C-alpha cells in the first residue's frame, strides 16, 4: 500500500506528458493512474480530476465511453478492457485439496486407535517365535498346525487398515463434495447479483462480474456498489462507507463536492450514475483483499510481519507528535487487526453468540459425547476382562510360568484383545452422525433451490423446522407486488374506477401527468409485455409503476414528458426515505420560475396542503376541517377496501426569489393537492392456503408493514392472518411503542410480553419497530419454550431485524443487497409459499436425523453388547474387527445417505414445532431402539450358543488364534447384517406409524443403498474368506438368515402395538442443553465444540467482504498516515473506529457494523418498499 501512496505523490507532473503518450490499448488512462485516483477523497479527488482530465466527462472521454450512452455493447471492446483493467472478480481462497481433507479425516481419534492396533497386529503376525515350544506356552497356537493358516495372520491387520482407508476416503470425499457444493452455491449467489448499467443507451442488468472499467452504472437506494467509480450525476446520494472507513455517519456524495464511490459500500439514499474506474483486485475492496492474502498462508505470515512494522512505524511517527496517550490509542486498532482471531474468540466467550447455536447441533454434540463416553467405558471393561481372564487361566489355573521365548505369543493375544476392545469402541461411537447431518443438510439445501429457497447458512435450514413465529412483510411477499390504481379523487369527485380522460379538465390532467412522470425515479417504467397476452412489465419501484400505469390508463404517455425534461435537468430532488415518507422534485419552468411536485402518504402530505384543485382546475382553500372531512369520506373508505392512499400535489415558486432548497420543511409545504389515488396490491392467490398451513403447523404469522392500519387490516383478513371473532391485536407503530415503553421511554420486556402474543398486524411501523418486535419475541420467557422467529425483509433498513431473527429471509427480486447480506435464506421468487416449503424441509432435516439415530443406536446397542458378552464368555468377539467395520460402514455412511435423503411430505406440517428442549430421541424412538435390540440380541445369543446344534455345523466358540473362519460365526455375522437391513426399513418412521413402506419408492437413493448393501454382503460372505473371517454359506443357511431378517419387520409391528404411554420407565435422550444445567465453562467448551462443527459447515461460504470490516479500518488508517500525515484526522477516525468496534462488540457479530452504528433516524430507506415513494 505504501507504493500506492507514493505513486500518487510522484504523479503530479504527468498530465503534461499524457497528451503525447498514447496509453495501452488506446485508452487515455493507465491502470496505475486510475488506482491512485481512487485513493483520494473529497476535495483532493476533485482537484486531481480537474488537473488530469478537466472534469468527469474528460475522464469518460479518456476511457472511451459516453456519460449518457455508456459503452457500445461490443464483445471485443469489453474483452480488451478486461485484459487491460482486469475483471470484476476477486479470486476466492484456494479450496482445500482432496489430500488435505484426507489428512483431516485421518485425525479422527478412533481411526488413529484402529490404525495403531492394525499396525501392531501386522507387525506381530510377521514375527515368528523362534522355537516351536507350543507345549511350554500352553495351547496358544493349537490349531495353527497348517503353515498356510499361520502365514495368513497378517490379513486381519491389513483388512483393518483397508477399512480405515475406506472410511477416510468416504469422509474426505463427502467433505470435498460439500465444499464443492458450497462453492457452486456461492457462485450462484454471486451470479444472481446483477447491476444496472447503460450500454448503447439501453439500461441493462448485467452480472456484477461482467462490469468493466468505463461502464456507466446506475446506482440507487439499497445497492451494494460492486466496483469503484466516479459520480457523473447524483440526486441526494448518501453512502454508508462504514465497511471501508469505519465512519458510521452516511457520506453525502455529489458530482461537485465528493464524487468518489467505492466498492463494498452501501447506498442508503438517493440515486445517480457513475463511471466505473476500478474493478476486481484493483478496486478498494480488492486491494484490501490482496493485502489480506486471499491467496494463502505465506501472505498471512508476511502480513503479520508487515503489520508489526507498520505498527512500529506509525507509533514512532505518533510519538513525535503526541504524548503516550495517543500512542496507546494509535496502537489499539492495529493490535486488533493482528490479534483479530484472538479477540473474536474472546468475544465468543464473553457474548453468547447472536444466533444461539443451531438447536440440532447443540443436541447432537451432547448426545455424541454421551454415547462416546459410554462406548469408552464398555471397551475398557471388555479389554480388562479379556486380559484378566487370559492371565488367570494361563498362569493361575494352568500354573504356567511366563517364558521369555513365549512373550511374542502372549503379546499377540493381548493385541487381539486390544483390537476387540477398539472394535467395541468403534461400533459404539456414531461417527456417522456428523456425516448424516451434513448429508441431510446439503441434500436439503440442494433441493430447496428448486423450491426457490437459496440457503446461505446451512443451519438456517434446520432452524426453520422449529420456527414458531413468522413476521412477514406485506408488499411483494403476501401480495403480488403488481400495484394498480383502482380508485381516485380528482377535481372534487371520487371515482371508483379509472375516469374517462374526457371527464377531467385539461389543466388537471396535464398537471397530474407531469407530476407523476417527472416526480418518480426515471429508472421506473412500464415496458410492453414479453409474451402475447401477458401483463405489461413493471420495472423499478412498484408504487411508481402503479402511478405511471394510471397515466397510461388515462390515455396519456409519460415518456414524452421525460424526454422533454431529462433527468439531469431536474433542479433538485428530495428522494424517498422512511422518515420523509414522500418524494419531491423541483423543475425550472421556461420563464425562470420553479415548480415543485410532491407525492407521498396521504395522511402526511395532506397536512402540508393549503389548497386543492376544484373540478374546473382552479385553486380552492383547503383548511384542516376540510382535511378531516376528506379523511373520513375518501381516505378511510379507500383504506378499508385494502387500498393504499397516495396524495399528489404541487407548488409554484416565483422566479425572482429562490427559496433555500436545503430547508426542506419550508420548501415542501403550502402545497396544492392535485389528486388522491387508491392503489391496490392484490393478495397472491396461493398465500391464504400457505398461511392456513402455517397456522395448522403451529406457526403464528404476523404482518409487519409500513401501510396504514385500515389497509393492513383489510389485507390481513384477506390472507387469513386474522379471522373475525378471534381475539387479536392490530396496532400502529406509535401505539405499539406507547404500550411497550415505560415513562422514561425505555422498552420493558414485561410490557412487550403483554402485547406480542395477541399481536397479528403491526402497521405504519418503522424498521426499528420491526427489530424491537423480533427481539422482544425472541427474548421473551413467557411461553413454555423459547420462540423461534423467522423474518422476511427486503429493504436496506430491514437489516437489523433480519440479523436478529433466528432465520432471516431476504427477497431475491425486490430485496436490496444489504438485506440479502444480512439474511440466512434468499427467496428467489419473493413468495410466502416458499417459506412454508422451507419449514417443511427444516422439519424434514430434523426427522431424517432422528431416523438415522434410531437406526444407528439400535445397531450400536446390539453390537456393543454382543462384542462385550461374547468376549467375556468365549474370549473372542463373535463379530470380528473387520466385520464390525463393515457394519459400521453400512450403519454410518450408507444409512446416513439412505435415511437423510428422504423427501419431505405434507404430513410434516400437521404437527406442532419441536421446541428447543424437545429431546432428539423421543420415548417412541427409545421404545423402538430397545425393542429391536431385544429381538436382535435374543437371536444372536441363541445362534451363538445353540446355533451349531440347530444348523448341525462345527461350533466356532473358543477357536485358537489363527484358526480358519467358521461357518457358525459367519451365520451370526450374516444374520446380524440382514437384521440391520430390514431394521433400516423400520427406521423410516419415527412417530410409531405402522406402514413403514409408505413412500419408499419416492426415494430411489434408499432403495439403491438397501439393495446395494445386500449385494455386497453376499459377495463378502461367499468370497470374503480369511480377511473378512467368513466362510461360504449354503442356500438353506442364507434363507434362514433372510427369514430372521424379515422377522424384524414383523417384530416392528409388535413394538408399534405397545402403547408408549404405558412405558413410563423409558428415558428420553439428547435434550437441548438446558441453560441451568450447564456451568459457564461447559457452555464455553460446548460452544467451542459446536463452533468447530459450524466452522466446518460455514467454510467457503461467507460472502466475500464479510470478515473485512475489521481489517479495512486498519488499512484505511495506515494509508491515511502514509498519505497525509495529518494526525488529527487520523485520531478522529481512530476514535470512530474504536467506538465502532465497541458497537460491534455489543452486536456480537462483527458482520454489519453499519446497521448497529447508524442512529435509527439516519437509517435511511423505505421499510420493505411499504411506505409510499
Amino acid at each position: 500500500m505504501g507504493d500506492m501512496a507514493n505513486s500518487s505523490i510522484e504523479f503530479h507532473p504527468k498530465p503534461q506528458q499524457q497528451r503525447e503518450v498514447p496509453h495501452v490499448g488506446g485508452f487515455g488512462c493507465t491502470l496505475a493512474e486510475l488506482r491512485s485516483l481512487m485513493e483520494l477523497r473529497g476535495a483532493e479527488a476533485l482537484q486531481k480530476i480537474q488537473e488530469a482530465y478537466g472534469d468527469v466527462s474528460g475522464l469518460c472521454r479518456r476511457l472511451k465511453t459516453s456519460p449518457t450512452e455508456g459503452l457500445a455493447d461490443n464483445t471485443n471492446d469489453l474483452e480488451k478492457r478486461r485484459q487491460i483493467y482486469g475483471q470484476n472478480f476477486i479470486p476466492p481462497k484456494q479450496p482445500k485439496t482432496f489430500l488435505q481433507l484426507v489428512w483431516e479425516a485421518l485425525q479422527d481419534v478412533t481411526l488413529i486407535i484402529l490404525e495403531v492396533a492394525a499396525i501392531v497386529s501386522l507387525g506381530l503376525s510377521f514375527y515368528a517365535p523362534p522355537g516351536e515350544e507350543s507345549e511350554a506356552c500352553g495351547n496358544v497356537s493349537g490349531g495353527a498346525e497348517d503353515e498356510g493358516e499361520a502365514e495368513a495372520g497378517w490379513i486381519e491387520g491389513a483388512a483393518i487398515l483397508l477399512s480405515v482407508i475406506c472410511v477416510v476416503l468416504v469422509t474426505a470425499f463427502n467433505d470435498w463434495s460439500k465444499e464443492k457444493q458450497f462453492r457452486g452455491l456461492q457462485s450462484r449467489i454471486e451470479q444472481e447479483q446483477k447491476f444496472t448499467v447503460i450500454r448503447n443507451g439501453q439500461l441493462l442488468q448485467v452480472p456484477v462480474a461482467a462490469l468493466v472499467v468505463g461502464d456507466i452504472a446506475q446506482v440507487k437506494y439499497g445497492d451494494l456498489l460492486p466496483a469503484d467509480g466516479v459520480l457523473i450525476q447524483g440526486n441526494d446520494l448518501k453512502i454508508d462507507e462504514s465497511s471501508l472507513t469505519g465512519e458510521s455517519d452516511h457520506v453525502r456524495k455529489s458530482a461537485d463536492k465528493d464524487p468518489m464511490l467505492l466498492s463494498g459500500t452501501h447506498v442508503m439514499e438517493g440515486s445517480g450514475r457513475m463511471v466505473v474506474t476500478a474493478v476486481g483486485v484493483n478496486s478498494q475492496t480488492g486491494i484490501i483483499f490482496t493485502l489480506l492474502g486471499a491467496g494463502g498462508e505465506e501472505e498471512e505470515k508476511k502480513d503479520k510481519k508487515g503489520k508489526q512494522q507498520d505498527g512500529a512505524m506509525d507509533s514512532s511517527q505518533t510519538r513525535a507528535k503526541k504524548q503516550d496517550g495517543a500512542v496507546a490509542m494509535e496502537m489499539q486498532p492495529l493490535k486488533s487487526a493482528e490479534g483479530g482471531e484472538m479477540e473474536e474468540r474472546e468475544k465468543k466467550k464473553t457474548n453468547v453468540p447472536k444466533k444461539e447455536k443451531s438447536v440440532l447441533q447443540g443436541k447432537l454434540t451432547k448426545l455424541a459425547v454421551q454415547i462416546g463416553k459410554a462406548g469408552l467405558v464398555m471397551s475398557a471393561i471388555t479389554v480388562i476382562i479379556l486380559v484378566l481372564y487370559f492371565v488367570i487361566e494361563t498362569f493361575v489355573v494352568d500354573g504356567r510360568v511366563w517364558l521369555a521365548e513365549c512373550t511374542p505369543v502372549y503379546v499377540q493375544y493381548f493385541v487381539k484383545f486390544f483390537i476387540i476392545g477398539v472394535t467395541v469402541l468403534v461400533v459404539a461411537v456414531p461417527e456417522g452422525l456428523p456425516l448424516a447431518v451434513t448429508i441431510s443438510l446439503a441434500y436439503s439445501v440442494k433441493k430447496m433451490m428448486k423450491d426457490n429457497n437459496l440457503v446461505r447458512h446451512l443451519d438456517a435450514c434446520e432452524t426453520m423446522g422449529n420456527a414458531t413465529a413468522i413476521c412477514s412483510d406485506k408488499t411483494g411477499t403476501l401480495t403480488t407486488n403488481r400495484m394498480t390504481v383502482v380508485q381516485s379523487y380528482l377535481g372534487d369527485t371520487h371515482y371508483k374506477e379509472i375516469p374517462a380522460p374526457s371527464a377531467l379538465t385539461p389543466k388537471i390532467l396535464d398537471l397530474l401527468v407531469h407530476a407523476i412522470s417527472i416526480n418518480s425515479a426515471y429508472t421506473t417504467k412500464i415496458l410492453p409485455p414479453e409474451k402475447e397476452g401477458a401483463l405489461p412489465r413493471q420495472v423499478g419501484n412498484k408504487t411508481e409503476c402503479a402511478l405511471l400505469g394510471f397515466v397510461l390508463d388515462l390515455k396519456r404517455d409519460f415518456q414524452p414528458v421525460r424526454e422533454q425534461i431529462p433527468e439531469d435537468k431536474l433542479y433538485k430532488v428530495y428522494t424517498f426515505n422512511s422518515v420523509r415518507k414522500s418524494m419531491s422534485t423541483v423543475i425550472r419552468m421556461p420563464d425562470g420560475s420553479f415548480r415543485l411536485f410532491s407525492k407521498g402518504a396521504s395522511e402526511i402530505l395532506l397536512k402540508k396542503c393549503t389548497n386543492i384543485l376544484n373540478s374546473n382546475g382552479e385553486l380552492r382553500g383547503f383548511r384542516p376541517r376540510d382535511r378531516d372531512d376528506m379523511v373520513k369520506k375518501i381516505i378511510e373508505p379507500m383504506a378499508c377496501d385494502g387500498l393504499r392512499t397516495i396524495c399528489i400535489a404541487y407548488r409554484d415558486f416565483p422566479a425572482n426569489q429562490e427559496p433555500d432548497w436545503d430547508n426542506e420543511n419550508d420548501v415542501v409545504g403550502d402545497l396544492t393537492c392535485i389528486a388522491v389515488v387508491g392503489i391496490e396490491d392484490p393478495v397472491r392467490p396461493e398465500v391464504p392456503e400457505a398461511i392456513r398451513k402455517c397456522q395448522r403447523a403451529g406457526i403464528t404469522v404476523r404482518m409487519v408493514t409500513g401501510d396504514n392500519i385500515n389497509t393492513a387490516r383489510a389485507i390481513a383478513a384477506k390472507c387469513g392472518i386474522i379471522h373475525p371473532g378471534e381475539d387479536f391485536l392490530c396496532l400502529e407503530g406509535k401505539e405499539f411503542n406507547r404500550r411497550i415503553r415505560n415513562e422514561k421511554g425505555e422498552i420493558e420486556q414485561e410490557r412487550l410480553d403483554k402485547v406480542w402474543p395477541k399481536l397479528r398486524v403491526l402497521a405504519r411501523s418503522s424498521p426499528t419497530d420491526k427489530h424491537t418486535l423480533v427481539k422482544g419475541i425472541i427474548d421473551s420467557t413467557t411461553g413454555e419454550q423459547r420462540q423461534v422467529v423467522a423474518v422476511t425483509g427486503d429493504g436496506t433498513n430491514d437489516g437489523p431485524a433480519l440479523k436478529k431473527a433466528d432465520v432471516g429471509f431476504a427477497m431475491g427480486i425486490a430485496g436490496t443487497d444489504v438485506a440479502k447480506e444480512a439474511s440466512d435464506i434468499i427467496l428467489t421468487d419473493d413468495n410466502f409459499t416458499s417459506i412454508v416449503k422451507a419449514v417443511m424441509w427444516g422439519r424434514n432435516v430434523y426427522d431424517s436425523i432422528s431416523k438415522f439415530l434410531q437406526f444407528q443406536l439400535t445397531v450400536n446397542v446390539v453390537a456393543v453388547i454382543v462384542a462385550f458378552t461374547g468376549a467375556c464368555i468365549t474370549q473372542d468377539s463373535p463379530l470380528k474387527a473387520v466385520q464390525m467395520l463393515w457394519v459400521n460402514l453400512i450403519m454410518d455412511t450408507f444409512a446416513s445417505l439412505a435415511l437423510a435423503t428422504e423427501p419431505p411430505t405434507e404430513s410434516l406440517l400437521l404437527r406442532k414445532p419441536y421446541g428447543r428442549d424437545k429431546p432428539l430421541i423421543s420415548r417412541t424412538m427409545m421404545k423402538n431402539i430397545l425393542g429391536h435390540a431385544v429381538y436382535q440380541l435374543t437371536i444372536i445369543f441363541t445362534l451363538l450358543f445353540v446355533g451349531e446344534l440347530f444348523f448341525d455345523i462345527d461350533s466356532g466358540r473358543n477357536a485358537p488364534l489363527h484358526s480358519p473362519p467358521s461357518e457358525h460365526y459367519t451365520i451370526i455375522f450374516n444374520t446380524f447384517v440382514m437384521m440391520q437391513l430390514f431394521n433400516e426399513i423400520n427406521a423410516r418412521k419415527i412417530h410409531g406409524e405402522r406402514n413403514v413402506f409408505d413412500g419408499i419408492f419416492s426415494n430411489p437413493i434408499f432403495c439403491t443403498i438397501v439393495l446395494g448393501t445386500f449385494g455386497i454382503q453376499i459377495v463378502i460372505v461367499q468370497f470374503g474368506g480369511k480377511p473378512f473371517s467368513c466362510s461360504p454359506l449354503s442356500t438353506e443357511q442364507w434363507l434362514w438368515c433372510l427369514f430372521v431378517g424379515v422377522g424384524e419387520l414383523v417384530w416392528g409391528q409388535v413394538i408399534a402395538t405397545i402403547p408408549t404411554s404405558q412405558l413410563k420407565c423409558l428415558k428420553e435422550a439428547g435434550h437441548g442443553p438446558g441453560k441451568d444445567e450447564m456451568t459457564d465453562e461447559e457452555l464455553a467448551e460446548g460452544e467451542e465444540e459446536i463452533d468447530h462443527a459450524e466452522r466446518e459447515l460455514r467454510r467457503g461460504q461467507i460472502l466475500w467482504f464479510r470478515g473485512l470490516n475489521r481489517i479495512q479500518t486498519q488499512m484505511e488508517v495506515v494509508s491515511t498516515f502514509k498519505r497525509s500525515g495529518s494526525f488529527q484526522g487520523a485520531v478522529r477516525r481512530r476514535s470512530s473506529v474504536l467506538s465502532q468496534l465497541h458497537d460491534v462488540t455489543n452486536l456480537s457479530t462483527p458482520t454489519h457494523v453499519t446497521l448497529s452504528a447508524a442512529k435509527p433516524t439516519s437509517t435511511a430507506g423505505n421499510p420493505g418498499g411499504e411506505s409510499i415513494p
Side-chain angles (χ1 to χ4, degrees), residues 144-269:
E145 287 81 4
D146 182 355
E147 273 305 292
E149 290 297 353
E151 280 166 11
W154 61 273
I155 292 183
E156 183 145 2
I160 295 180
L161 276 184
L162 193 71
S163 41
V164 165
I165 291 171
C166 272
V167 173
V168 166
L169 288 177
V170 168
T171 320
F173 180 75
N174 268 303
D175 282 347
W176 179 76
S177 56
K178 185 171 78 185
E179 181 101 344
K180 205 172 90 181
Q181 257 180 358
F182 263 149
R183 295 209 169 248
L185 193 70
Q186 207 41 42
S187 57
R188 270 227 35 185
I189 294 181
E190 279 161 14
Q191 281 155 16
E192 302 259 308
Q193 207 188 348
K194 295 248 194 330
F195 209 76
T196 316
V197 297
I198 303 175
R199 288 187 183 165
N200 278 338
Q202 296 285 319
L203 280 185
L204 291 182
Q205 290 273 337
V206 299
V208 165
L211 286 178
V212 295
V213 170
D215 256 326
I216 305 294
Q218 286 268 15
V219 294
K220 58 181 188 310
Y221 147 79
D223 281 342
L224 166 71
L225 298 182
D228 293 352
V230 179
L231 189 65
I232 300 174
Q233 169 262 326
N235 304 324
D236 204 6
L237 196 60
K238 284 195 184 153
I239 305 267
D240 168 5
E241 292 191 346
S242 59
S243 60
L244 274 180
T245 61
E247 299 284 359
S248 56
D249 296 337
H250 298 164
V251 187
R252 286 199 93 103
K253 297 284 183 184
S254 60
D256 50 359
K257 291 203 180 62
D258 181 1
M260 306 314 251
L261 301 177
L262 307 173
S263 57
T265 60
H266 291 124
V267 183
M268 299 313 270
E269 264 188 56

Side-chain angles (χ1 to χ4, degrees), residues 358-368 370-371 433 437 462 466 843 845-854 857 914-926 929 990-991 1067-1073:
S358 130
V359 192
L360 186 64
Q361 276 173 6
K363 292 178 182 176
L364 281 177
T365 310
K366 210 170 165 196
L367 191 69
Q370 288 167 346
I371 297 175
L433 260 183
V437 178
E462 159 263 321
N466 289 318
R843 293 186 172 190
V845 166
Y846 200 96
D847 279 9
S848 296
I849 286 159
S850 295
K851 288 172 192 172
F852 173 69
L853 274 174
Q854 176 175 306
L857 293 180
Y914 296 143
R916 283 188 164 262
D917 19 26
K918 168 139 183 352
L920 263 180
I921 299 173
S922 61
R923 270 233 181 88
T924 316
M925 286 168 63
M926 211 53 159
I929 291 172
I990 48 175
H991 298 296
K1067 274 279 200 289
E1068 299 154 318
H1071 289 262

